[in-house]
Amino acid sequence: MAQKKWTISLIVLLLLFLYVFFHFITVTKQLEKTVAKLQHEQKGTSHLPHVILISQEFDNPYWRKIEQGAKEAGKKYDVNIEYIGPLRTSVDEQVKLLEKAIASRVDGIIVQNLKDEAFTPLIDKAISRNIPVITIDADAPESRRIAYVGTNNFEAGQLLGKAVVSRVEGERELGVMIGTDTSENQRLRLQGFLSVIAQHPRLKVVSVASSNISRIQASIQAEQMLRKHPHISVMAGTSALDAIGIRMATKNLHRQDIQIFGFDDVEETIEAIQQGDIVATVVQKPYDMGYSAVKLMVEHLSGKQIQKEHFTAIEVIDRQNVQQERNK
Ligand code: BGC
């Protein structure tokens, strides 16, 4: 009898042991699975290269298109794109953002050059720390940047000049509004523009002012210019919001006789062309700039040799082709 009791107790103990053992195995397996899943999820974002895109002005519609292109390429090529920029354009703030990006040891930097003296040494500092830098929209050709992506700005200035020459008749005085007087792209556009106008003695540039890329400043400056030079009858702007600022000024002064030429295709410029308030605009491809800059960065990071200069397309839009462009 006593032996039977022992046997039953042993069997119960064995069953208990087996239960605990299998439970332990199942729980361990489950834990392993959860850890693996967590590791995988973490990898999903943190193993992606981190590339910072620094703009001239955070909420400027032109820069938002560059951001869009960059983020689209980021999705396609598995790159984490961080878009940053000063709220209002400021060389100092943009420099600080570049310094921060270098200090945080990102995998790559895409930045516009606003002022050679400030940006070239910083770009070189990033390169010496093995952080590749691509300049976008405005180049820093003296720096060690790995590439430039954007418009050929001298040619774009020439195109604006040709657009004026072919659409303006007779002897005329011209006023020019540039975005910033420090930045490389504005300097080159102005040079290109003046080189074309200089070949046509019937056209004379009598004043050049800077809008600090602000529509309001463009309007204020244009008003002052027109008061000082009342014979100006053609005005050209070389950054995205200048033409619509000039248009505000001509409305305020009831000078609807002034022919306005601009840059880029922000919504208001396109509408003003349709309404006949702006004659023509030189359109850049900011989306393509953003997209190509990221694609090139990825190629560089994977060890490919990349070309130093990548010029994106430019074209003129006026009343003739504006609808066609809209439908694209
Ligand atoms: C220029 C940019 C500038 C923007 C301002 C564009 O035409 O290419 O450098 O930031 O205008 O609105």
Side-chain angles (χ1 to χ4, degrees):
M1 187 66 190
Q3 203 183 353
K4 203 175 174 188
K5 262 189 185 170
W6 265 108
T7 319
I8 292 173
S9 306
L10 263 176
I11 291 174
V12 170
L13 267 176
L14 189 71
L15 284 173
L16 257 175
F17 171 77
L18 283 175
Y19 172 77
V20 171
F21 179 72
F22 281 116
H23 188 69
F24 173 76
I25 296 283
T26 335
V27 170
T28 312
K29 284 259 180 265
Q30 254 170 9
L31 263 175
E32 275 173 3
K33 263 194 201 161
T34 313
V35 169
K37 198 171 152 215
L38 276 177
Q39 276 173 341
H40 181 75
E41 275 173 11
Q42 226 179 17
K43 258 188 166 183
T45 52
S46 67
H47 82 292
L48 298 182
H50 178 195
V51 172
I52 286 201
L53 164 62
I54 305 172
S55 71
Q56 181 171 2
E57 195 172 70
F58 190 74
D59 219 6
N60 184 295
Y62 171 86
W63 282 97
R64 286 295 195 179
K65 282 195 192 163
I66 294 188
E67 178 199 12
Q68 246 184 38
K71 291 208 165 148
E72 204 54 45
K75 266 193 231 152
K76 165 125 190 190
Y77 297 104
D78 281 337
V79 180
N80 181 12
I81 305 293
E82 189 183 345
Y83 170 72
I84 54 175
L87 285 180
R88 271 293 298 134
T89 179
S90 144
V91 177
D92 289 350
E93 268 199 52
Q94 208 166 313
V95 161
K96 272 189 202 139
L97 292 175
L98 181 54
E99 275 167 348
K100 264 195 195 162
I102 298 171
S104 61
R105 304 198 166 274
V106 286
D107 297 297
I109 298 173
I110 301 172
V111 66
Q112 176 215 36
N113 168 36
L114 255 193
K115 197 177 185 188
D116 288 339
E117 306 88 275
F119 283 76
T120 298
L122 274 180
I123 292 174
D124 292 352
K125 180 173 167 187
I127 299 285
S128 66
R129 295 194 176 177
N130 279 326
I131 304 174
V133 178
I134 291 182
T135 47
I136 192 163
D137 176 69
D139 196 9
E142 303 300 321
S143 74
R144 290 168 60 206
R145 47 85 171 131
I146 58 163
Y148 164 67
V149 182
T151 296
N152 178 329
N153 286 297
F154 185 79
E155 267 182 20
Q158 285 181 311
L159 192 59
L160 182 65
K162 288 177 195 161
V164 168
V165 168
S166 61
R167 288 167 180 82
V168 159
E169 286 171 357
E171 295 206 349
R172 300 293 200 91
E173 286 191 6
L174 274 59
V176 182
M177 187 69 56
I178 60 168
T180 32
D181 34 27
T182 48
S183 109
E184 173 79 3
N185 60 355
Q186 299 297 313
R187 201 178 53 77
L188 287 170
R189 284 177 204 175
L190 181 62
Q191 268 181 13
F193 180 77
L194 295 177
S195 73
V196 171
I197 300 300
Q199 292 163 24
H200 300 269
R202 68 184 177 91
L203 305 175
K204 197 166 164 229
V205 174
V206 293
S207 180
V208 178
S210 159
S211 65
N212 209 20
I213 72 162
S214 136
R215 171 195 336 224
I216 303 292
Q217 271 306 315
S219 165
I220 294 171
Q221 297 293 327
E223 238 187 273
Q224 281 177 9
M225 196 187 279
L226 287 169
R227 285 185 198 282
K228 200 165 168 207
H229 303 276
H231 295 300
I232 286 181
S233 61
V234 177
M235 291 199 76
T238 62
S239 76
L241 307 180
D242 297 338
I244 51 183
I246 295 171
R247 181 181 176 231
M248 273 163 71
T250 57
K251 289 224 188 279
N252 290 346
L253 297 173
H254 306 290
R255 290 286 313 266
Q256 264 80 335
D257 60 301
I258 293 184
Q259 285 183 281
I260 306 172
F261 293 81
F263 241 82
D264 300 303
D265 56 354
V266 297
E267 196 53 32
E268 280 174 84
T269 302
I270 295 299
E271 278 168 16
I273 289 179
Q274 285 177 318
Q275 290 156 8
D277 285 352
I278 291 179
V279 181
T281 185
V282 172
V283 172
Q284 309 184 77
K285 302 284 176 207
Y287 178 95
D288 294 354
M289 290 180 203
Y291 195 96
S292 304
V294 171
K295 185 167 180 261
L296 286 165
M297 184 63 84
V298 170
E299 285 176 6
H300 172 84
L301 291 174
S302 67
K304 265 199 197 152
Q305 195 76 14
I306 60 169
Q307 263 179 20
K308 290 254 171 222
E309 276 177 340
H310 298 258
F311 293 133
T312 43
I314 42 171
E315 62 177 325
V316 176
I317 292 186
D318 64 6
R319 225 172 171 178
Q320 307 295 318
N321 60 352
V322 66
Q323 197 50 47
Q324 211 173 304
E325 291 296 323
R326 272 223 128 150
N327 299 339
K328 264 187 188 171

